[in-house]
Amino acid sequence: MGIVRKTKSVKEILAFFSTKNEAKSAVQLIEFFKDKMNRTTVYRILDRLVEEGILHSFNGKEGLKWYAKCQGCSSEHHSDVHPHFQCTDCDKVECLPTNIALPNLNNRSIDSVDFFLTGKCATCNS
Amino acid sequence: MGIVRKTKSVKEILAFFSTKNEAKSAVQLIEFFKDKMNRTTVYRILDRLVEEGILHSFNGKEGLKWYAKCQGCSSEHHSDVHPHFQCTDCDKVECLPTNIALPNLNNRSIDSVDFFLTGKCATCNS
DNA sequence: AAATCTAATGCAGTTTAGTTGCAATAACAA
DNA sequence: TTGTTATTGCAACTAAACTGCATTAGATTT
């Protein structure tokens, strides 16, 4: 497990995620940071932060990669098994603070759980 | 709504899905049919079959598009809201014959539900 | 604080899934 | 058999994500 240096770029991305509690796509982050760092750097930092358990990632509706801050996760233990909700109006993606009810899996063992919902968020629904 | 002609290619793809009950990715189908039809044709037929309610599609772990046969769906009514399970050993994707328990959505309205699990399937687990 | 080590970065090029425009072809109806 | 038009193949395109490599900049040691 390589050391992760807290570079300027890493700090920027961490600061970004610590303010807002929504998920962001790699594409959005690349656009947001385009004057501060290279696209490749964004991808690589996101990878590292996921490996460290600081962010979790999942695939959105169009197959894009999304990232959000983990709550109480580490590289060893991942407790972030919750649904993600994308609004079809404003495109925001929220982490829903609920546990996922697993279906009956018979003789299957489980590795990862992705629960992705789309619809209208509370704001766009009012 | 355009007429969908039962061409040779359409029949091939329908026959393929009627034999096996597992899901297949667009990439797998393109590879499988590479001597019989063009990649573009595969994509377009899949699109049409989804529109007609004959297949349903969802996004797999790596953001790839997957397709499986619907059970009792039409272009008007879609009843195929079930989890999908991909084996990390044999890569097969199964449709789990269970309903998905929805979380509490507060003031959100819902459009689509994607529940994707990975792990070891019953066969690879024994 | 200078020298050193190596993780992290930028850049350009590459890969791959999926899409589009258009001319040619093949279902299907008359 | 002819005519209509949905469908196909092809080539070019788009966009997300990845890779190799030379350079830069954190961290560590002296």
Side-chain angles (χ1 to χ4, degrees):
Chain A
M1 186 80 49
I3 298 145
V4 174
R5 291 184 175 161
K6 290 290 180 299
T7 62
K8 217 187 261 186
S9 302
V10 171
K11 282 178 197 160
E12 294 254 24
I13 290 183
L14 284 175
F16 182 85
F17 274 106
S18 63
T19 57
K20 47 204 81 191
N21 217 0
E22 15 164 333
K24 291 285 174 183
S25 68
V27 174
Q28 290 175 321
L29 292 164
I30 287 164
E31 169 63 23
F32 187 84
F33 287 114
K34 70 172 172 218
D35 295 328
K36 302 202 167 177
M37 65 192 89
N38 190 273
R39 343 173 334 94
T40 315
T41 303
V42 176
Y43 280 120
R44 286 194 276 223
I45 290 176
L46 292 172
D47 279 352
R48 269 182 277 148
L49 295 179
V50 168
E51 241 175 74
E52 293 225 321
I54 294 166
L55 298 180
H56 60 277
S57 87
F58 54 93
N59 294 310
K61 202 84 198 88
E62 311 81 14
L64 295 194
K65 279 197 177 177
W66 286 77
Y67 297 85
K69 203 167 62 173
C70 293
Q71 254 108 28
C73 293
S74 68
S75 49
E76 284 80 39
H77 184 69
H78 244 272
S79 63
D80 258 299
V81 181
H82 53 249
H84 294 101
F85 182 95
Q86 179 162 31
C87 180
T88 51
D89 263 31
C90 67
D91 281 333
K92 263 189 194 160
V93 174
E94 306 169 86
C95 296
L96 302 187
T98 327
N99 277 344
I100 293 174
L102 289 181
N104 186 3
L105 292 163
N106 294 323
N107 294 324
R108 300 176 187 88
S109 62
I110 210 161
D111 244 46
S112 72
V113 179
D114 266 283
F115 197 177
F116 194 83
L117 301 154
T118 67
K120 275 199 181 182
C121 73
T123 312
C124 291
N125 235 348
S126 55
Chain B
M1 186 80 48
I3 298 145
V4 174
R5 290 181 176 166
K6 291 289 180 299
T7 63
K8 216 187 261 186
S9 303
V10 171
K11 280 178 197 159
E12 294 254 24
I13 291 184
L14 284 175
F16 182 85
F17 274 106
S18 63
T19 58
K20 47 204 82 192
N21 217 0
E22 15 165 333
K24 290 286 174 184
S25 68
V27 173
Q28 290 176 322
L29 291 165
I30 287 165
E31 170 64 23
F32 188 85
F33 287 114
K34 70 174 170 215
D35 294 329
K36 301 202 166 176
M37 66 191 90
N38 189 273
R39 349 177 315 99
T40 315
T41 303
V42 175
Y43 280 119
R44 286 194 277 224
I45 290 176
L46 291 173
D47 279 352
R48 267 182 278 148
L49 294 179
V50 168
E51 239 175 76
E52 293 224 322
I54 294 165
L55 298 180
H56 61 276
S57 87
F58 53 94
N59 294 311
K61 201 86 197 85
E62 312 81 13
L64 296 193
K65 277 196 178 178
W66 287 76
Y67 297 85
K69 204 167 62 173
C70 293
Q71 253 107 29
C73 293
S74 68
S75 50
E76 283 82 37
H77 183 67
H78 244 272
S79 62
D80 261 299
V81 181
H82 53 249
H84 294 101
F85 182 94
Q86 180 162 33
C87 181
T88 51
D89 265 31
C90 67
D91 280 335
K92 264 187 194 164
V93 173
E94 307 169 87
C95 297
L96 302 187
T98 327
N99 277 345
I100 294 175
L102 289 182
N104 186 3
L105 292 162
N106 293 324
N107 294 323
R108 301 176 187 88
S109 61
I110 212 162
D111 244 49
S112 71
V113 178
D114 267 282
F115 196 177
F116 195 82
L117 300 154
T118 67
K120 274 198 181 183
C121 72
T123 312
C124 291
N125 237 348
S126 55

